[in-house]
Amino acid sequence: MTMVKKGVRKMKLNETAWANAMAISTGVVYVVCAAFVAILPGISKAVMQSWFHEVSLEALWTGAPRGNFILGLATAVIGTWLVGYLFAKTYNKFSK
């Protein structure tokens, strides 16, 4: 049991604000990453391959931009918003 001094309030996260901040951050990172891949595909491929422990990406990597940018952006932002909201809600429940 945690002792709280009189007059001290425990921190509570605003679930919607937290989820919004997470979703916007993810959207910005997604757009920057997509731009980086479009401008510097060789370096992007090397970085991506290093993250996957040097697994060959030849079958997946075309080097051409894909038409699913909007779908990827939307699903990443929406998914992150849901996870951010769930995180804040769970944090608030456990911090009581």
Side-chain angles (χ1 to χ4, degrees):
M1 178 181 259
T2 304
M3 299 297 290
V4 178
K5 295 179 185 178
K6 186 177 179 181
V8 175
R9 297 184 309 159
K10 287 189 175 185
M11 184 175 137
K12 182 179 177 186
L13 295 174
N14 178 320
E15 293 95 349
T16 302
W18 182 272
N20 289 344
M22 295 273 302
I24 289 169
S25 299
T26 297
V28 168
V29 169
Y30 188 92
V31 170
V32 168
C33 183
F36 189 74
V37 169
I39 295 167
L40 299 166
I43 293 172
S44 300
K45 180 180 175 187
V47 170
M48 190 170 130
Q49 191 162 337
S50 74
W51 289 352
F52 288 97
H53 308 288
E54 300 303 322
V55 172
S56 177
L57 301 172
E58 294 303 320
L60 302 172
W61 193 269
T62 63
R66 302 199 186 251
N68 60 0
F69 171 80
I70 297 298
L71 177 63
L73 177 63
T75 56
V77 168
I78 292 167
T80 301
W81 191 94
L82 293 170
V83 170
Y85 189 88
L86 178 63
F87 171 83
K89 196 79 161 164
T90 305
Y91 174 87
N92 289 338
K93 181 156 182 72
F94 284 113
S95 68
K96 289 183 180 179

Coordinates of all heavy atoms in Angstrom, one line a residue:
M1 N 0.8 -1.2 0.0 CA 0.0 0.0 0.0 C 0.9 1.2 0.0 O 1.8 1.3 0.7 CB -0.9 0.0 1.2 CG -1.8 1.2 1.3 SD -2.8 1.2 2.8 CE -4.3 0.6 2.0
T2 N 0.6 2.2 -0.8 CA 1.3 3.4 -0.9 C 0.7 4.5 0.0 O -0.5 4.7 0.0 CB 1.3 3.9 -2.4 OG1 1.7 2.9 -3.2 CG2 2.2 5.2 -2.5
M3 N 1.6 5.1 0.8 CA 1.2 6.2 1.7 C 1.2 7.5 0.9 O 2.2 7.8 0.2 CB 2.1 6.3 2.9 CG 2.1 5.0 3.7 SD 0.5 4.6 4.4 CE 0.3 5.9 5.6
V4 N 0.2 8.2 0.9 CA 0.1 9.5 0.3 C -0.1 10.6 1.3 O -1.0 10.5 2.2 CB -1.0 9.6 -0.8 CG1 -1.1 10.9 -1.4 CG2 -0.9 8.5 -1.8
K5 N 0.7 11.6 1.3 CA 0.6 12.7 2.3 C -0.7 13.5 2.0 O -1.2 13.5 0.9 CB 1.8 13.7 2.1 CG 3.1 13.1 2.5 CD 4.2 14.2 2.3 CE 5.5 13.6 2.5 NZ 6.6 14.6 2.3
K6 N -1.2 14.0 3.1 CA -2.5 14.8 3.0 C -2.3 16.0 2.1 O -1.3 16.7 2.2 CB -2.9 15.3 4.4 CG -4.2 16.0 4.4 CD -4.6 16.4 5.8 CE -5.9 17.1 5.8 NZ -6.3 17.5 7.1
G7 N -3.2 16.2 1.2 CA -3.1 17.3 0.2 C -2.3 17.0 -1.1 O -2.3 17.8 -2.0
V8 N -1.7 15.8 -1.1 CA -1.0 15.4 -2.3 C -1.9 14.5 -3.2 O -2.5 13.6 -2.7 CB 0.3 14.6 -2.0 CG1 0.9 14.0 -3.2 CG2 1.2 15.4 -1.1
R9 N -2.1 14.9 -4.5 CA -2.9 14.2 -5.4 C -2.1 13.3 -6.3 O -1.0 13.6 -6.6 CB -3.7 15.1 -6.3 CG -4.6 16.0 -5.5 CD -5.5 16.9 -6.3 NE -4.7 17.6 -7.3 CZ -5.1 18.1 -8.4 NH1 -6.4 18.0 -8.7 NH2 -4.4 18.8 -9.3
K10 N -2.6 12.1 -6.6 CA -1.9 11.2 -7.5 C -2.2 11.7 -8.9 O -3.2 12.2 -9.2 CB -2.5 9.8 -7.3 CG -2.0 9.1 -6.1 CD -2.4 7.6 -6.1 CE -1.8 6.9 -4.9 NZ -2.0 5.5 -5.0
M11 N -1.2 11.4 -9.8 CA -1.3 11.8 -11.2 C -2.3 11.0 -11.9 O -2.4 9.8 -11.7 CB 0.0 11.7 -11.8 CG 0.1 12.2 -13.2 SD 1.7 12.1 -13.9 CE 1.4 11.5 -15.5
K12 N -3.2 11.6 -12.7 CA -4.1 10.9 -13.5 C -3.9 11.4 -15.0 O -3.8 12.6 -15.2 CB -5.6 11.2 -13.1 CG -6.6 10.4 -13.9 CD -8.0 10.7 -13.4 CE -8.9 10.0 -14.3 NZ -10.3 10.3 -14.0
L13 N -3.9 10.5 -15.9 CA -3.7 10.8 -17.3 C -5.1 11.1 -17.9 O -6.1 10.4 -17.7 CB -3.1 9.7 -18.1 CG -1.6 9.3 -17.7 CD1 -1.2 8.1 -18.4 CD2 -0.7 10.5 -18.0
N14 N -5.1 12.1 -18.8 CA -6.3 12.4 -19.6 C -6.2 11.4 -20.8 O -5.3 11.5 -21.6 CB -6.3 13.8 -20.0 CG -7.5 14.2 -20.9 OD1 -7.9 13.4 -21.8 ND2 -8.0 15.3 -20.8
E15 N -7.1 10.4 -20.8 CA -7.0 9.4 -21.8 C -7.1 9.9 -23.2 O -6.3 9.4 -24.0 CB -8.2 8.3 -21.6 CG -8.1 7.6 -20.3 CD -9.0 8.2 -19.2 OE1 -9.4 9.3 -19.3 OE2 -9.1 7.5 -18.1
T16 N -8.0 10.8 -23.5 CA -8.1 11.3 -24.9 C -6.9 12.1 -25.3 O -6.3 11.9 -26.4 CB -9.4 12.1 -25.0 OG1 -10.5 11.3 -24.6 CG2 -9.5 12.6 -26.4
A17 N -6.4 12.9 -24.4 CA -5.2 13.7 -24.7 C -4.0 12.8 -24.9 O -3.2 13.1 -25.8 CB -4.9 14.7 -23.6
W18 N -3.8 11.8 -24.1 CA -2.7 10.9 -24.2 C -2.8 10.1 -25.6 O -1.8 10.0 -26.3 CB -2.7 9.9 -23.1 CG -1.5 8.9 -23.1 CD1 -1.5 7.7 -23.8 CD2 -0.3 9.1 -22.5 NE1 -0.3 7.1 -23.6 CE2 0.5 7.9 -22.9 CE3 0.3 10.1 -21.8 CZ2 1.8 7.8 -22.4 CZ3 1.6 9.9 -21.3 CH2 2.4 8.8 -21.7
A19 N -4.0 9.6 -25.9 CA -4.2 8.9 -27.1 C -4.0 9.8 -28.4 O -3.3 9.4 -29.3 CB -5.6 8.3 -27.2
N20 N -4.4 11.1 -28.3 CA -4.2 12.0 -29.4 C -2.7 12.3 -29.6 O -2.2 12.3 -30.7 CB -4.9 13.3 -29.1 CG -6.4 13.2 -29.2 OD1 -7.0 12.3 -29.8 ND2 -7.1 14.2 -28.7
A21 N -2.0 12.5 -28.5 CA -0.5 12.8 -28.6 C 0.2 11.6 -29.2 O 1.1 11.7 -30.0 CB 0.0 13.1 -27.2
M22 N -0.2 10.4 -28.8 CA 0.4 9.2 -29.3 C 0.2 9.0 -30.8 O 1.0 8.7 -31.6 CB -0.1 7.9 -28.6 CG 0.3 7.8 -27.1 SD 1.9 7.1 -26.8 CE 1.7 5.5 -27.5
A23 N -1.1 9.2 -31.2 CA -1.5 9.1 -32.6 C -0.8 10.1 -33.5 O -0.3 9.7 -34.6 CB -3.0 9.2 -32.7
I24 N -0.8 11.3 -33.1 CA -0.1 12.4 -33.9 C 1.4 12.1 -34.0 O 2.0 12.2 -35.1 CB -0.4 13.8 -33.3 CG1 -1.8 14.2 -33.5 CG2 0.6 14.8 -33.9 CD1 -2.2 15.4 -32.7
S25 N 2.0 11.7 -32.9 CA 3.4 11.3 -33.0 C 3.7 10.2 -33.9 O 4.7 10.2 -34.7 CB 3.9 10.9 -31.6 OG 3.8 12.0 -30.7
T26 N 2.9 9.2 -33.9 CA 3.0 8.0 -34.8 C 2.8 8.5 -36.3 O 3.6 8.1 -37.2 CB 2.0 6.9 -34.5 OG1 2.3 6.4 -33.2 CG2 2.0 5.8 -35.5
G27 N 1.8 9.3 -36.5 CA 1.6 9.9 -37.9 C 2.8 10.6 -38.4 O 3.2 10.4 -39.6
V28 N 3.4 11.4 -37.6 CA 4.6 12.2 -38.0 C 5.7 11.3 -38.3 O 6.4 11.4 -39.3 CB 5.0 13.3 -36.9 CG1 6.3 13.9 -37.2 CG2 3.9 14.3 -36.8
V29 N 6.0 10.3 -37.4 CA 7.1 9.4 -37.6 C 6.8 8.6 -38.9 O 7.8 8.3 -39.7 CB 7.3 8.4 -36.4 CG1 8.2 7.3 -36.7 CG2 7.8 9.2 -35.2
Y30 N 5.6 8.2 -39.2 CA 5.3 7.4 -40.3 C 5.6 8.2 -41.6 O 6.2 7.7 -42.6 CB 3.8 7.0 -40.3 CG 3.4 6.0 -41.4 CD1 3.4 4.7 -41.2 CD2 2.9 6.5 -42.6 CE1 3.0 3.8 -42.2 CE2 2.5 5.6 -43.6 CZ 2.6 4.2 -43.4 OH 2.2 3.4 -44.4
V31 N 5.1 9.4 -41.6 CA 5.4 10.3 -42.8 C 6.9 10.5 -43.0 O 7.3 10.4 -44.2 CB 4.6 11.6 -42.7 CG1 5.0 12.6 -43.8 CG2 3.1 11.4 -42.7
V32 N 7.6 10.8 -42.0 CA 9.0 11.0 -42.1 C 9.7 9.8 -42.6 O 10.6 9.8 -43.5 CB 9.6 11.5 -40.7 CG1 11.1 11.5 -40.8 CG2 9.1 12.9 -40.4
C33 N 9.3 8.6 -42.1 CA 9.9 7.4 -42.5 C 9.6 7.1 -44.0 O 10.5 6.7 -44.7 CB 9.4 6.2 -41.6 SG 10.1 4.6 -42.0
A34 N 8.4 7.3 -44.4 CA 8.0 7.1 -45.8 C 8.8 8.0 -46.7 O 9.3 7.6 -47.8 CB 6.5 7.3 -46.0
A35 N 9.0 9.3 -46.3 CA 9.8 10.2 -47.1 C 11.3 9.8 -47.2 O 11.9 9.9 -48.2 CB 9.7 11.6 -46.5
F36 N 11.8 9.3 -46.1 CA 13.2 8.8 -46.0 C 13.3 7.7 -47.0 O 14.3 7.6 -47.7 CB 13.5 8.4 -44.6 CG 15.0 8.1 -44.4 CD1 15.9 9.1 -44.4 CD2 15.4 6.8 -44.2 CE1 17.3 8.8 -44.2 CE2 16.7 6.5 -44.0 CZ 17.7 7.5 -44.0
V37 N 12.4 6.7 -47.0 CA 12.4 5.6 -47.9 C 12.4 6.0 -49.4 O 13.1 5.5 -50.2 CB 11.3 4.6 -47.6 CG1 11.2 3.5 -48.7 CG2 11.6 3.9 -46.2
A38 N 11.5 7.0 -49.7 CA 11.4 7.5 -51.0 C 12.6 8.2 -51.5 O 13.1 8.1 -52.6 CB 10.2 8.4 -51.1
I39 N 13.3 9.0 -50.6 CA 14.4 9.8 -51.0 C 15.7 9.0 -51.0 O 16.6 9.2 -51.8 CB 14.6 11.0 -50.0 CG1 13.4 12.0 -50.2 CG2 15.9 11.8 -50.2 CD1 13.2 13.0 -49.1
L40 N 15.9 8.1 -50.0 CA 17.1 7.3 -49.8 C 16.8 5.9 -49.7 O 16.9 5.3 -48.6 CB 17.9 7.8 -48.6 CG 18.3 9.3 -48.6 CD1 18.8 9.7 -47.2 CD2 19.5 9.5 -49.6
P41 N 16.4 5.2 -50.7 CA 15.9 3.8 -50.6 C 17.1 2.9 -50.2 O 16.8 1.9 -49.5 CB 15.4 3.5 -52.0 CG 15.9 4.5 -52.9 CD 16.2 5.7 -52.1
G42 N 18.3 3.1 -50.7 CA 19.4 2.2 -50.4 C 19.7 2.2 -48.9 O 19.9 1.1 -48.3
I43 N 19.8 3.4 -48.3 CA 20.1 3.5 -46.9 C 18.9 2.9 -46.1 O 19.1 2.3 -45.1 CB 20.4 5.0 -46.5 CG1 21.7 5.4 -47.2 CG2 20.4 5.1 -45.0 CD1 22.0 6.9 -47.0
S44 N 17.7 3.2 -46.5 CA 16.5 2.7 -45.9 C 16.5 1.2 -45.8 O 16.2 0.6 -44.8 CB 15.2 3.2 -46.5 OG 15.2 4.6 -46.6
K45 N 16.8 0.6 -46.9 CA 16.8 -0.9 -47.0 C 17.9 -1.4 -46.1 O 17.7 -2.4 -45.3 CB 17.1 -1.3 -48.4 CG 17.2 -2.8 -48.6 CD 17.4 -3.2 -50.0 CE 17.6 -4.7 -50.1 NZ 18.0 -5.1 -51.5
A46 N 19.1 -0.8 -46.0 CA 20.2 -1.3 -45.1 C 19.8 -1.1 -43.7 O 20.0 -2.1 -42.9 CB 21.4 -0.4 -45.4
V47 N 19.1 0.0 -43.3 CA 18.7 0.1 -41.9 C 17.6 -0.9 -41.6 O 17.7 -1.6 -40.5 CB 18.1 1.6 -41.7 CG1 17.4 1.7 -40.3 CG2 19.3 2.6 -41.8
M48 N 16.6 -1.1 -42.5 CA 15.6 -2.0 -42.2 C 16.1 -3.4 -42.1 O 15.7 -4.2 -41.2 CB 14.5 -2.0 -43.3 CG 13.3 -2.7 -43.1 SD 12.1 -2.4 -44.3 CE 11.6 -4.0 -44.8
Q49 N 17.0 -3.8 -42.9 CA 17.6 -5.1 -42.9 C 18.4 -5.3 -41.6 O 18.4 -6.4 -41.0 CB 18.5 -5.3 -44.1 CG 19.0 -6.8 -44.3 CD 19.5 -7.1 -45.7 OE1 19.1 -6.4 -46.6 NE2 20.3 -8.1 -45.8
S50 N 19.1 -4.3 -41.1 CA 19.8 -4.4 -39.8 C 18.9 -4.6 -38.7 O 19.2 -5.3 -37.7 CB 20.7 -3.2 -39.6 OG 19.9 -2.0 -39.2
W51 N 17.7 -4.0 -38.7 CA 16.7 -4.2 -37.7 C 16.1 -5.6 -37.7 O 15.7 -6.1 -36.6 CB 15.5 -3.2 -37.8 CG 15.8 -1.8 -37.5 CD1 17.0 -1.3 -37.0 CD2 15.0 -0.7 -37.8 NE1 16.9 0.0 -36.9 CE2 15.7 0.5 -37.4 CE3 13.8 -0.5 -38.3 CZ2 15.2 1.8 -37.4 CZ3 13.2 0.8 -38.4 CH2 14.0 1.9 -38.0
F52 N 16.2 -6.3 -38.8 CA 15.7 -7.7 -38.9 C 16.8 -8.7 -38.9 O 16.7 -9.8 -39.5 CB 14.8 -7.9 -40.1 CG 13.5 -7.2 -40.0 CD1 13.3 -5.9 -40.5 CD2 12.4 -7.8 -39.3 CE1 12.0 -5.3 -40.4 CE2 11.2 -7.1 -39.2 CZ 11.0 -5.9 -39.7
H53 N 17.9 -8.3 -38.2 CA 19.1 -9.2 -38.0 C 19.6 -9.8 -39.3 O 19.9 -11.0 -39.4 CB 18.7 -10.3 -37.0 CG 18.1 -9.8 -35.8 ND1 18.9 -9.2 -34.8 CD2 16.9 -9.9 -35.3 CE1 18.1 -8.9 -33.8 NE2 16.9 -9.2 -34.1
E54 N 19.7 -8.9 -40.3 CA 20.3 -9.2 -41.6 C 19.5 -10.2 -42.4 O 20.1 -10.9 -43.3 CB 21.8 -9.7 -41.4 CG 22.7 -8.6 -40.8 CD 22.7 -7.3 -41.5 OE1 22.7 -7.2 -42.8 OE2 22.7 -6.2 -40.9
V55 N 18.3 -10.4 -42.1 CA 17.4 -11.3 -42.9 C 17.3 -10.7 -44.3 O 17.1 -9.4 -44.4 CB 16.0 -11.5 -42.3 CG1 15.1 -12.2 -43.2 CG2 16.1 -12.2 -41.0
S56 N 17.4 -11.4 -45.4 CA 17.3 -10.9 -46.7 C 15.9 -10.4 -47.0 O 14.9 -11.0 -46.8 CB 17.7 -12.0 -47.7 OG 17.5 -11.4 -49.0
L57 N 15.9 -9.1 -47.5 CA 14.6 -8.5 -47.8 C 14.4 -8.4 -49.3 O 13.5 -7.7 -49.8 CB 14.6 -7.1 -47.2 CG 14.8 -7.0 -45.7 CD1 14.9 -5.5 -45.3 CD2 13.6 -7.6 -45.0
E58 N 15.2 -9.1 -50.1 CA 15.1 -9.1 -51.5 C 13.7 -9.4 -52.1 O 13.2 -8.7 -53.0 CB 16.1 -10.0 -52.2 CG 17.6 -9.6 -51.9 CD 17.9 -8.2 -52.4 OE1 17.4 -7.7 -53.5 OE2 18.6 -7.5 -51.7
A59 N 13.0 -10.4 -51.5 CA 11.7 -10.7 -52.0 C 10.6 -9.7 -51.7 O 9.6 -9.6 -52.4 CB 11.3 -12.1 -51.3
L60 N 10.9 -8.9 -50.6 CA 9.9 -7.8 -50.2 C 10.2 -6.5 -50.8 O 9.3 -5.7 -51.0 CB 9.9 -7.7 -48.7 CG 9.5 -9.0 -47.9 CD1 9.7 -8.8 -46.4 CD2 8.1 -9.4 -48.2
W61 N 11.5 -6.2 -51.0 CA 11.9 -4.8 -51.4 C 11.9 -4.6 -52.9 O 12.5 -5.2 -53.6 CB 13.3 -4.6 -50.8 CG 13.7 -3.1 -50.9 CD1 14.3 -2.5 -51.9 CD2 13.5 -2.2 -49.9 NE1 14.5 -1.2 -51.6 CE2 14.0 -1.0 -50.3 CE3 12.9 -2.2 -48.6 CZ2 14.0 0.2 -49.6 CZ3 12.9 -1.1 -47.8 CH2 13.4 0.1 -48.3
T62 N 11.0 -3.7 -53.3 CA 10.9 -3.3 -54.7 C 11.7 -2.0 -55.0 O 12.0 -1.8 -56.2 CB 9.5 -3.2 -55.2 OG1 8.9 -2.1 -54.5 CG2 8.7 -4.5 -54.9
G63 N 11.8 -1.2 -54.0 CA 12.5 0.1 -54.3 C 11.5 1.2 -54.8 O 11.9 2.3 -55.0
A64 N 10.3 0.7 -55.2 CA 9.3 1.7 -55.7 C 8.3 2.1 -54.7 O 8.0 1.2 -53.8 CB 8.6 1.0 -56.9
P65 N 7.8 3.3 -54.7 CA 6.8 3.7 -53.8 C 5.5 2.8 -54.0 O 5.2 2.4 -55.1 CB 6.5 5.1 -54.1 CG 7.6 5.6 -55.0 CD 8.2 4.4 -55.6
R66 N 4.9 2.6 -52.9 CA 3.6 1.8 -53.0 C 2.4 2.7 -52.9 O 2.4 3.7 -52.3 CB 3.7 0.8 -51.8 CG 4.9 -0.1 -51.9 CD 4.7 -1.3 -51.1 NE 5.9 -2.1 -51.0 CZ 6.1 -3.2 -51.7 NH1 5.2 -3.7 -52.4 NH2 7.2 -3.9 -51.6
G67 N 1.3 2.2 -53.4 CA 0.1 2.9 -53.4 C -0.7 2.8 -52.1 O -1.8 3.3 -52.0
N68 N -0.2 2.1 -51.1 CA -0.9 1.9 -49.8 C -0.4 2.9 -48.7 O -0.7 2.6 -47.5 CB -0.8 0.5 -49.4 CG 0.6 0.0 -49.2 OD1 1.5 0.8 -49.3 ND2 0.8 -1.2 -48.8
F69 N 0.1 4.0 -49.1 CA 0.6 4.9 -48.1 C -0.5 5.4 -47.1 O -0.4 5.4 -45.9 CB 1.3 6.1 -48.7 CG 1.6 7.3 -47.8 CD1 2.8 7.2 -47.0 CD2 0.8 8.4 -47.6 CE1 3.1 8.2 -46.1 CE2 1.1 9.4 -46.8 CZ 2.3 9.3 -46.0
I70 N -1.6 5.8 -47.7 CA -2.7 6.4 -46.9 C -3.3 5.3 -46.0 O -3.6 5.5 -44.8 CB -3.9 6.9 -47.8 CG1 -3.3 8.1 -48.6 CG2 -5.1 7.3 -47.0 CD1 -2.8 9.3 -47.8
L71 N -3.5 4.1 -46.5 CA -4.0 2.9 -45.7 C -3.0 2.7 -44.6 O -3.5 2.5 -43.4 CB -4.2 1.7 -46.6 CG -4.6 0.4 -45.8 CD1 -6.0 0.7 -45.2 CD2 -4.6 -0.8 -46.8
G72 N -1.8 2.6 -44.8 CA -0.8 2.4 -43.8 C -0.8 3.5 -42.7 O -0.7 3.2 -41.5
L73 N -0.8 4.7 -43.2 CA -0.9 5.9 -42.3 C -2.1 5.8 -41.4 O -2.0 5.9 -40.2 CB -0.8 7.2 -43.0 CG -0.9 8.5 -42.2 CD1 0.2 8.6 -41.3 CD2 -1.0 9.7 -43.2
A74 N -3.3 5.6 -42.0 CA -4.5 5.6 -41.3 C -4.6 4.4 -40.2 O -4.9 4.7 -39.1 CB -5.7 5.4 -42.2
T75 N -4.2 3.2 -40.6 CA -4.2 2.1 -39.7 C -3.2 2.3 -38.6 O -3.5 1.9 -37.4 CB -4.0 0.8 -40.4 OG1 -2.8 0.8 -41.1 CG2 -5.2 0.5 -41.3
A76 N -2.0 2.8 -38.9 CA -1.0 3.1 -37.8 C -1.5 4.1 -36.8 O -1.4 3.9 -35.6 CB 0.3 3.5 -38.4
V77 N -2.1 5.2 -37.3 CA -2.6 6.3 -36.4 C -3.8 5.8 -35.6 O -3.8 6.0 -34.4 CB -3.0 7.5 -37.2 CG1 -3.7 8.5 -36.4 CG2 -1.7 8.2 -37.8
I78 N -4.7 5.1 -36.2 CA -5.9 4.6 -35.5 C -5.5 3.6 -34.5 O -6.0 3.6 -33.3 CB -7.0 4.1 -36.5 CG1 -7.6 5.2 -37.3 CG2 -8.1 3.3 -35.7 CD1 -8.4 4.8 -38.5
G79 N -4.7 2.6 -34.9 CA -4.2 1.6 -33.9 C -3.5 2.2 -32.7 O -3.7 1.8 -31.6
T80 N -2.6 3.2 -33.0 CA -1.9 3.8 -31.9 C -2.8 4.6 -31.0 O -2.6 4.6 -29.8 CB -0.8 4.7 -32.5 OG1 0.1 4.0 -33.3 CG2 0.0 5.4 -31.4
W81 N -3.8 5.2 -31.6 CA -4.8 6.0 -30.7 C -5.5 5.0 -29.8 O -5.6 5.3 -28.6 CB -5.8 6.7 -31.6 CG -6.6 7.7 -30.8 CD1 -6.4 9.0 -30.6 CD2 -7.8 7.4 -30.0 NE1 -7.3 9.6 -29.8 CE2 -8.2 8.6 -29.4 CE3 -8.5 6.2 -29.8 CZ2 -9.3 8.7 -28.5 CZ3 -9.7 6.3 -28.9 CH2 -10.0 7.5 -28.3
L82 N -5.9 3.9 -30.3 CA -6.6 2.9 -29.4 C -5.7 2.3 -28.3 O -6.1 2.2 -27.2 CB -7.1 1.7 -30.3 CG -8.2 2.1 -31.3 CD1 -8.5 0.9 -32.3 CD2 -9.5 2.5 -30.5
V83 N -4.4 2.0 -28.7 CA -3.5 1.5 -27.7 C -3.2 2.6 -26.7 O -3.1 2.4 -25.5 CB -2.2 1.0 -28.4 CG1 -1.1 0.7 -27.4 CG2 -2.5 -0.2 -29.2
G84 N -3.0 3.9 -27.1 CA -2.8 5.0 -26.2 C -3.9 5.2 -25.2 O -3.7 5.4 -24.0
Y85 N -5.1 5.1 -25.7 CA -6.3 5.3 -24.9 C -6.4 4.2 -23.8 O -6.6 4.4 -22.6 CB -7.6 5.3 -25.7 CG -8.8 5.7 -24.9 CD1 -9.1 7.0 -24.7 CD2 -9.6 4.7 -24.3 CE1 -10.2 7.4 -23.9 CE2 -10.7 5.1 -23.5 CZ -11.0 6.4 -23.4 OH -12.1 6.8 -22.6
L86 N -6.2 2.9 -24.3 CA -6.2 1.8 -23.4 C -5.1 1.9 -22.4 O -5.3 1.6 -21.2 CB -6.0 0.5 -24.2 CG -6.0 -0.8 -23.4 CD1 -7.3 -1.0 -22.7 CD2 -5.7 -2.0 -24.3
F87 N -3.9 2.3 -22.8 CA -2.8 2.5 -21.8 C -3.1 3.5 -20.7 O -3.0 3.2 -19.5 CB -1.5 3.0 -22.6 CG -0.4 3.3 -21.6 CD1 0.4 2.4 -21.0 CD2 -0.2 4.7 -21.2 CE1 1.4 2.7 -20.1 CE2 0.7 5.0 -20.3 CZ 1.6 4.1 -19.8
A88 N -3.7 4.7 -21.1 CA -4.0 5.7 -20.1 C -5.1 5.2 -19.2 O -5.1 5.5 -18.0 CB -4.4 7.0 -20.9
K89 N -6.1 4.6 -19.8 CA -7.2 4.1 -19.0 C -6.7 3.0 -17.9 O -7.1 3.1 -16.8 CB -8.2 3.4 -19.9 CG -9.6 3.2 -19.3 CD -10.3 4.5 -19.3 CE -11.8 4.2 -19.1 NZ -12.5 5.4 -18.7
T90 N -5.8 2.1 -18.4 CA -5.3 1.1 -17.5 C -4.4 1.7 -16.5 O -4.4 1.4 -15.3 CB -4.5 0.1 -18.3 OG1 -5.3 -0.5 -19.3 CG2 -4.0 -1.1 -17.5
Y91 N -3.6 2.7 -16.9 CA -2.7 3.4 -15.9 C -3.5 4.1 -14.8 O -3.2 4.0 -13.6 CB -1.9 4.5 -16.7 CG -1.0 5.3 -15.7 CD1 0.2 4.9 -15.3 CD2 -1.6 6.5 -15.2 CE1 1.0 5.7 -14.4 CE2 -0.8 7.3 -14.3 CZ 0.4 6.9 -13.9 OH 1.2 7.6 -13.1
N92 N -4.6 4.8 -15.2 CA -5.4 5.4 -14.2 C -6.1 4.4 -13.3 O -6.2 4.7 -12.1 CB -6.5 6.3 -14.9 CG -5.9 7.5 -15.6 OD1 -4.8 8.0 -15.2 ND2 -6.6 8.0 -16.6
K93 N -6.4 3.3 -13.8 CA -7.0 2.3 -12.9 C -6.0 1.7 -11.9 O -6.4 1.6 -10.7 CB -7.6 1.1 -13.8 CG -8.2 0.0 -12.9 CD -9.2 -0.7 -13.8 CE -9.9 -1.8 -13.0 NZ -10.9 -1.3 -12.0
F94 N -4.8 1.5 -12.3 CA -3.8 0.9 -11.4 C -3.2 2.0 -10.5 O -2.6 1.7 -9.5 CB -2.7 0.2 -12.2 CG -3.1 -1.1 -12.7 CD1 -3.2 -1.3 -14.1 CD2 -3.4 -2.2 -11.8 CE1 -3.6 -2.6 -14.5 CE2 -3.7 -3.4 -12.3 CZ -3.9 -3.6 -13.7
S95 N -3.3 3.3 -10.8 CA -2.7 4.3 -10.0 C -3.6 4.8 -8.9 O -3.3 5.7 -8.1 CB -2.3 5.5 -10.8 OG -3.4 6.2 -11.4
K96 N -4.8 4.2 -8.8 CA -5.8 4.6 -7.7 C -5.3 4.1 -6.3 O -4.6 3.2 -6.1 CB -7.2 4.0 -8.0 CG -7.8 4.7 -9.1 CD -9.2 4.1 -9.3 CE -9.9 4.8 -10.5 NZ -11.2 4.3 -10.7

